[in-house]
Amino acid sequence: RNIDAARELYASEGVMLALVEKGMARQDAYSVVQAHAMRTWEGEGRFSELLAKDERVRKHLSKKELAACFDLDETLRHAGAIVRRALDASGARPSAEKSSAKKKSANKKRKA
């Protein structure tokens, strides 16, 4: 529900970075993304669809590359680790949880 409320705008930074990586000037990428984000916020359409219709975006990103910017699994891949670090830094997690998290992290590194 919160993701829906975000109107796909969570992908704006990823789209901008992808455009820059593909050769669009940073300021131009910012302007394109910002314009479509504002249109989306005002209810003029879905962010992904507005971007997909824009010739400037299509010139730099394929449909597949644009769709990858909206992949929630990719967007949230580090969320767990970020929350754990924040809790550790604040002292909000009990030490048993910290110990367990460190063991899991070490096991993942060994497997990789």
Side-chain angles (χ1 to χ4, degrees), residues 24-69:
M24 185 181 276
R26 184 174 292 279
Q27 185 59 42
D28 293 341
Y30 175 82
S31 295
V32 168
V33 170
Q34 178 72 9
H36 291 303
M38 291 305 297
R39 289 180 63 203
T40 299
W41 191 253
E42 292 168 1
E44 294 181 34
R46 291 179 60 86
F47 190 48
S48 58
E49 292 171 0
L50 293 170
L51 288 164
K53 292 176 185 176
D54 189 309
E55 181 65 34
R56 299 166 295 180
V57 174
R58 289 197 319 261
K59 180 179 175 185
H60 290 87
L61 298 177
S62 68
K63 288 180 183 181
K64 186 176 181 178
E65 291 168 328
L66 181 58
C69 296

Side-chain angles (χ1 to χ4, degrees), residues 88-104:
D88 287 348
S90 72
R93 268 199 322 170
S95 60
E97 286 182 22
K98 290 178 188 177
S99 176
S100 176
K102 285 181 184 179
K103 288 178 186 177
K104 287 179 185 178

